[in-house]
């Protein structure tokens, strides 16, 4: 039986929207989180936005009528903030989750990844569990209604999963280019990393798996929960990775690359079974035009395309958080920890494989 936390209704009588404090004011907050929360206005309302001193929070707060501040201290002390949305760089997530719990906040939305090390992940989940805080990790692919439809198909048919492939071709992303860049327009500020150095290449692959690959790893863990070994791992230029591993006898292949001036974004997850192939094509990031597209290709070659739904994964995950704080659903802390550890263990093993392969 899964370990669960207890949610609860916060208001008697008529429900009021929960006040949300957003830690982070980067492009993702402006393009994604503010429009998403506006779509669930019956549950949530942004009341405070904090940046790290960039001044962007003031501009974003003006769009919503929220308060703004530099640093998270004022936001965490704001009594109107019931829910904290952590949209900061990944290395800050674990500490900020625990700070929100210590500040007495009742619910936390944390962008992926939850943590970058096993010790951090253990500490975060233990802190939230002990306080009974509702915690949701923003893995929009997992919450996309299309993945629920694909899961139903796999369970209903009772098929055996044999392969999982994830292919992502994405436009440039400023956060990753700031860390790992070969783009001429920013090389003056960020020197090109030495990709011939095994430690540099390994660090790049690890960071990208925990920043990009983590979108799909909760889905992969559902299909193949026991990580066995990494078969290959290497960085792809200009920014990307190719990783293959075995989990529960299933071959999993993860490929992602960011190409400046490249084709339109493509993010596709394909599950090969002993009787058919289930293909899930996710919508481009930051768009609100419905769910992913699911196609099933049978062994006879027949293609069945399921209709897309109006709700996207971004809205669905905030609705899921509302269900937690209303006490309609419960927090599965063990599952959240298992997801975090799966991603961290894979990233560590892939980094080791890069080092070994380059030094061979």
């Amino acid at each position: 039986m899964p370990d669960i936390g207890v949610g609860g209704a916060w208001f008697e009588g008529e429900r009021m929207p929960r006040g949300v404090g957003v830690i982070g004011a980067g492009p993702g907050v402006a393009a994604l989180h503010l429009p998403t929360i506006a779509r669930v206005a019956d549950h949530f309302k942004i009341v405070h936005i904090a940046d790290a001193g960039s001044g962007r929070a003031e501009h974003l707060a003006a769009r919503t009528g929220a308060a703004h501040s530099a640093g998270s201290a004022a936001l965490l002390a704001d009594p109107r903030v019931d829910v904290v949305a952590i949209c900061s760089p990944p290395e800050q997530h674990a500490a900020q989750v625990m700070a929100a719990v210590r500040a007495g906040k009742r619910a936390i939305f944390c962008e992926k990844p939850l943590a970058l090390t096993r010790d951090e992940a253990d500490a975060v989940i233990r802190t939230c569990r002990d306080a009974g805080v509702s915690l949701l990790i923003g893995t929009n692919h997992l919450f996309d209604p299309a993945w629920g439809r694909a899961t139903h198909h796999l369970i209903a048919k009772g098929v055996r999963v044999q392969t999982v492939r994830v292919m992502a071709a994405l436009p440039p992303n400023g956060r990753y280019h700031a860390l790992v860049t070969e783009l001429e327009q920013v090389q003056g500020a960020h020197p090109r990393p030495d990709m011939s150095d095994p430690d540099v290449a390994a660090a790049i692959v690890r960071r990208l798996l925990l920043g990009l690959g983590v979108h799909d790893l909760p889905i992969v863990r559902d299909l193949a929960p026991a990580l066995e070994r990494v078969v290959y791992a290497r960085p792809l230029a200009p920014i990307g990775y190719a990783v293959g591993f075995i989990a529960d006898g299933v071959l999993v292949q993860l490929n992602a690359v960011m190409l400046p001036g490249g084709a339109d974004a493509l993010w596709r997850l394909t599950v090969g079974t002993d009787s058919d192939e289930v293909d899930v094509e996710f919508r481009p990031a930051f768009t609100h035009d419905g769910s992913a597209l699911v196609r099933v290709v049978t062994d006879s070659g027949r293609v069945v395309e399921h209709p897309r739904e109006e709700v996207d994964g971004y809205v669905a995950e905030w609705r899921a958080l509302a269900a937690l704080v209303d006490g309609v659903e419960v927090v599965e802390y063990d599952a959240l920890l298992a997801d975090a550890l799966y991603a961290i263990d894979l990233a560590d093993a892939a980094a080791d494989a890069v080092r070994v392969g380059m030094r061979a």
Side-chain angles (χ1 to χ4, degrees), residues 43-56:
H43 294 288
F44 301 105
K45 177 183 179 181
I46 296 176
V47 297
H48 200 132
I49 302 175
D51 59 35
S54 67
R56 289 193 295 264

Side-chain angles (χ1 to χ4, degrees), residues 198-350:
D199 290 327
V200 171
I204 289 170
V205 169
R206 185 183 193 277
R207 183 59 177 264
L208 289 175
L209 282 172
L210 288 174
L212 291 178
V214 73
H215 280 81
D216 301 297
L217 290 179
I219 291 175
V220 173
R221 190 180 72 81
D222 282 347
L223 300 170
L227 179 63
E228 297 175 32
R229 62 188 177 91
V230 170
V231 180
Y232 63 86
R234 61 180 181 273
L236 298 179
I239 303 174
Y241 55 81
V243 175
F245 63 98
I246 304 293
D248 274 309
V250 177
L251 172 62
V252 182
Q253 296 172 290
L254 308 177
N255 297 278
V257 65
M258 291 179 177
L259 296 172
D264 291 342
L266 173 68
W267 200 311
R268 177 173 291 166
L269 183 148
T270 304
V271 181
T273 78
D274 51 5
S275 66
D276 55 25
E277 187 172 82
V278 180
D279 187 73
V280 184
E281 186 174 332
F282 293 102
R283 307 304 296 158
F286 301 169
T287 60
H288 290 286
D289 60 349
S291 70
L293 177 66
V294 177
R295 300 183 187 90
V296 178
V297 182
T298 68
D299 51 8
S300 66
R302 187 169 70 94
V303 178
V304 179
E305 188 170 293
H306 293 267
R308 293 173 55 219
E309 297 186 19
E310 181 179 351
V311 174
D312 59 67
Y314 299 117
V315 171
E317 61 191 6
W318 277 91
R319 289 184 178 176
L321 182 61
L324 293 177
V325 299
D326 284 343
V328 176
E329 300 290 344
V330 294
V331 184
E332 297 189 4
Y333 294 113
D334 286 345
L336 294 176
L337 179 58
D339 284 343
L341 297 182
Y342 192 92
I344 291 166
D345 289 347
L346 174 62
D348 286 342

Side-chain angles (χ1 to χ4, degrees), residues 90 173-181 207-208 210-212 239 258:
N173 180 299
R175 174 174 291 172
Y176 298 110
H177 292 153
L179 293 169
V180 187
T181 183
R207 183 59 177 264
L208 289 175
L210 288 174
L212 291 178
I239 303 174
M258 291 179 177

Side-chain angles (χ1 to χ4, degrees), residues 163-210:
T163 62
V164 179
R165 301 190 305 275
V166 179
M167 180 178 66
L170 306 172
N173 180 299
R175 174 174 291 172
Y176 298 110
H177 292 153
L179 293 169
V180 187
T181 183
E182 294 182 3
L183 303 182
E184 295 296 332
Q185 61 265 34
V186 291
Q187 280 185 3
H190 303 284
R192 180 180 301 181
D194 182 4
M195 296 295 289
S196 66
D197 184 328
D199 290 327
V200 171
I204 289 170
V205 169
R206 185 183 193 277
R207 183 59 177 264
L208 289 175
L209 282 172
L210 288 174

